[in-house]
Amino acid sequence: MKKLFFVSALSLFSMSAFAQDDAVNKAVVDQFRKDKEKSDKDLTDAKASAKASFWMERAKLYENIALQGSEVDSSAAKTSLEAYKKVVELDKTKKGEPGKSAKEAENVLAGGEGSQLFNAFVKQGAEKYQAKNLNGALEMFTAAQEINKKDTLASLYGGIAAQQLDKKDVAREQFEKYAANGGKDPSVFYGLAQLYREEKNFDKAIEALNKGLAQSPNNKDLKAEVVNILLASGNESKAISELEALAQADPKNIQNVVNLAILYDNMQRTAADSVKQLSAKMGSGSKSAASLTKNLEAEKSKIEVYDGEVKRIGALIKKQPKNADLKRQLADVNAKKKETIAAIATMEGEVKSATEAAQSSASSGSEKQLADLKAKQKDASEKAIANYKKALEIDGANYDALYNLGVFYFNEAVQLKGEVDNMNMTEYQQRGKEIEGRVCGKFKKAKPYFEKAIQAKDEAEAKDNLTTVNGVLEQFAAKQVACVEE
């Protein structure tokens, strides 16, 4: 997440605006101390403190202390604010309407013409921030916003202070005020989006980024973060659409092209996994039915054997009608035949159920779903390769494009090798060698990309994969398998 920092103007605000030579400054501060002591003392005088004029003097004194002598009272702006409110409370005409002083105080409290109280709060807030008193700074900036509700400066600084205090709700509220009042700093909208993203409120995060883009239409960070949040929210299709637009608008921006390739790469891997799972599910029904049918036929073949035994033993019994052992053998064979007939009936039911399940899977749309997934995988694969190669046209030494393209062909080789591993001897004799040649070709195709990736950046992952590829190619060479590159 990008961090937000005070711009340099903040430190300048608290120093340069009221800079003066040390001698004059010391005299001013000393006078502020004396005036403050007197005002604080008169505060206990019931007669003096009952007059609006006393509170007006006190309000202006503390306002000036905040603006020119914070070392006298680092929270003078707060005291000034309360004093102005007291003026409004006390200065009433006989008709109960605000008097002259009350109107002046109301103007100050509303941030009207000539009012300096807002600046007093912002200045002391900046000073507290610089002194690492973040809670005090946030309090000052929040108070400043009550005086000037349309200002963006105090809400910006308030949001930054709240963010550093990890008061996320407050930071979000402050940055929203900044945006609502017409703030334009892109980093604020980026930070606001991150706050929403942490809550998984992706719609609000996108909304914040779009507000920022309305102010800064060409900001690349905001545009890229829209894509990131769409991905985080699982909206991959829209993320690709946004990134396609970015890549088209700025065709030389290699990161956009690489990111687009990675998105398509991820999409094709997800589709490949789905193809594998659905194929296994569809195949399990057919394989189960075939296996059960095979077992059924084997069981039926026993009947013929038993019938032969019954005929043979029956002939012997005719010759030896009193032979008890032959009669026992005949009874055993008939019992086994009866068991087999019952087993056949059960197995025929199982074969029927498995066959119906396989047919149901085929008729339920699984075949179309599988075809759609394969088409999606093929399309995403082609676009991933095209964008990786496009990135390498921009920068032939881009590590991410080189490494990922190597991994792409490596994974294709592994997937194809799985077909060979699952073959029986008959299948292998028929087409195993041909597929092994293609597997070898895929690994061979991956090799130069890993080699170039290592040249671009000395990374262990690329080295490990290259070692594996070289080992596999040596095995194929030892088996005299000719690599077939497609």
Side-chain angles (χ1 to χ4, degrees):
M1 174 179 171
K2 288 193 172 182
K3 297 292 183 182
L4 297 173
F5 297 97
F6 272 110
V7 293
S8 58
L10 181 58
S11 58
L12 294 174
F13 183 88
S14 62
M15 300 173 189
S16 61
F18 302 98
Q20 51 195 325
D21 67 59
D22 291 342
V24 173
N25 184 62
K26 185 177 183 304
V28 170
V29 169
D30 287 345
Q31 187 60 51
F32 280 149
R33 291 188 196 279
K34 293 176 183 178
D35 292 342
K36 178 181 180 300
E37 288 176 7
K38 182 178 184 304
S39 181
D40 291 346
K41 183 179 179 181
D42 289 345
L43 192 63
T44 61
D45 185 335
K47 187 176 180 180
S49 61
K51 297 178 180 178
S53 57
F54 164 79
W55 289 101
M56 179 61 83
E57 288 177 4
R58 183 175 175 82
K60 291 181 177 179
L61 169 64
Y62 273 88
E63 183 181 291
N64 286 327
I65 289 174
L67 292 168
Q68 302 178 56
S70 278
E71 55 264 62
V72 176
D73 187 339
S74 63
S75 297
K78 289 170 59 179
T79 304
S80 178
L81 174 67
E82 295 305 318
Y84 276 122
K85 289 180 178 178
K86 196 71 175 176
V87 173
V88 174
E89 177 188 331
L90 294 175
D91 187 27
K92 303 285 186 183
T93 65
K94 291 180 180 180
K95 294 182 180 180
E97 297 175 350
K100 182 179 179 181
S101 294
K103 289 179 181 178
E104 181 182 349
E106 286 176 343
N107 178 69
V108 172
L109 293 172
E113 185 177 354
S115 173
Q116 289 295 310
L117 188 57
F118 170 82
N119 290 338
F121 272 107
V122 172
K123 176 178 175 292
Q124 290 205 303
E127 290 166 348
K128 288 181 183 295
Y129 180 87
Q130 290 160 353
K132 312 280 187 210
N133 181 358
L134 297 178
N135 282 304
L138 178 58
E139 182 184 14
M140 289 293 181
F141 294 137
T142 303
Q145 293 168 57
E146 291 303 312
I147 298 168
N148 186 349
K149 292 180 171 59
K150 294 297 182 182
D151 175 74
T152 56
L153 187 67
S155 54
L156 170 62
Y157 296 156
I160 294 170
Q163 189 180 37
Q164 294 191 15
L165 284 165
D166 203 31
K167 293 183 176 182
K168 295 175 183 177
D169 289 348
V170 178
R172 189 172 59 249
E173 180 185 348
Q174 292 289 304
F175 289 148
E176 284 287 12
K177 285 182 179 179
Y178 174 84
N181 288 337
K184 297 182 178 181
D185 190 332
S187 64
V188 176
F189 294 98
Y190 186 100
L192 181 58
Q194 291 300 304
L195 290 169
Y196 282 121
R197 181 177 179 175
E198 288 176 13
E199 298 178 340
K200 299 191 182 303
N201 192 340
F202 300 116
D203 289 342
K204 292 294 289 184
I206 294 292
E207 181 183 321
L209 292 169
N210 285 336
K211 286 179 181 177
L213 286 168
Q215 299 290 349
S216 307
N218 298 318
N219 188 278
K220 295 178 181 179
D221 288 336
L222 295 179
K223 289 180 178 180
E225 190 59 17
V226 169
V227 175
N228 291 336
I229 290 177
L230 286 171
L231 285 175
S233 66
N235 198 339
E236 190 177 63
S237 297
K238 193 168 182 180
I240 286 177
S241 177
E242 292 281 349
L243 201 49
E244 287 274 17
L246 288 178
Q248 187 174 359
D250 189 5
K252 295 300 182 182
N253 186 322
I254 190 169
Q255 196 57 54
N256 286 339
V257 179
V258 170
N259 287 344
L260 188 57
I262 291 172
L263 284 183
Y264 279 122
D265 202 343
N266 290 338
M267 181 182 284
Q268 72 86 16
R269 290 183 193 181
T270 301
D273 288 342
S274 298
V275 166
K276 186 177 180 180
Q277 292 170 11
L278 186 57
S279 296
K281 182 180 178 182
M282 292 173 66
S284 64
S286 299
K287 288 179 180 177
S288 176
S291 177
L292 288 170
T293 300
K294 185 177 180 181
N295 293 339
L296 175 61
E297 293 303 319
E299 200 69 20
K300 284 181 176 180
S301 68
K302 292 179 182 180
I303 298 295
E304 185 178 346
V305 174
Y306 291 144
D307 285 343
E309 279 295 288
V310 167
K311 186 176 181 181
R312 183 184 69 80
I313 295 171
L316 290 174
I317 288 174
K318 284 181 180 180
K319 294 178 181 180
Q320 305 175 52
K322 294 183 179 181
N323 190 317
D325 186 55
L326 289 174
K327 291 180 180 180
R328 181 189 58 78
Q329 289 180 32
L330 182 61
D332 287 344
V333 171
N334 281 325
K336 288 180 179 178
K337 180 181 177 181
K338 185 177 180 181
E339 290 176 358
T340 299
I341 291 173
I344 288 172
T346 300
M347 293 173 73
E348 284 177 338
E350 292 174 346
V351 168
K352 182 180 179 182
S353 297
T355 302
E356 289 175 350
Q359 291 173 345
S360 174
S361 176
S363 63
S364 65
S366 295
E367 288 183 349
K368 183 180 184 305
Q369 185 181 357
L370 182 62
D372 290 343
L373 282 170
K374 287 182 177 180
K376 182 179 180 180
Q377 180 190 0
K378 183 176 182 294
D379 180 65
S381 295
E382 291 172 351
K383 288 177 178 177
I385 293 172
N387 280 284
Y388 281 136
K389 290 184 175 180
K390 183 178 178 182
L392 292 176
E393 289 174 6
I394 300 171
D395 177 9
N398 183 273
Y399 175 83
D400 290 335
L402 289 167
Y403 176 77
N404 288 338
L405 200 48
V407 169
F408 184 94
Y409 293 125
F410 183 99
N411 288 341
E412 279 196 333
V414 171
Q415 185 177 359
L416 194 57
K417 186 176 183 298
E419 293 185 25
V420 179
D421 294 341
N422 291 327
M423 288 179 178
N424 57 37
M425 185 56 68
T426 302
E427 290 172 331
Y428 182 80
Q429 289 174 346
Q430 291 175 347
R431 57 193 185 92
K433 287 288 185 181
E434 181 268 329
I435 295 181
E436 277 191 333
R438 292 168 58 203
V439 172
C440 181
K442 295 286 186 184
F443 279 118
K444 189 174 180 180
K445 200 169 185 178
K447 181 177 178 178
Y449 290 107
F450 288 133
E451 290 174 336
K452 291 177 182 178
I454 293 168
Q455 292 172 9
K457 190 187 294 186
D458 191 18
E459 293 286 348
E461 57 185 1
K463 289 181 177 179
D464 291 343
N465 284 344
L466 180 59
T467 300
T468 301
V469 168
N470 285 333
V472 171
L473 291 176
E474 287 173 5
Q475 292 174 22
F476 279 125
K479 291 171 65 176
Q480 296 184 332
V481 174
C483 296
V484 179
E485 294 191 48
E486 300 172 309

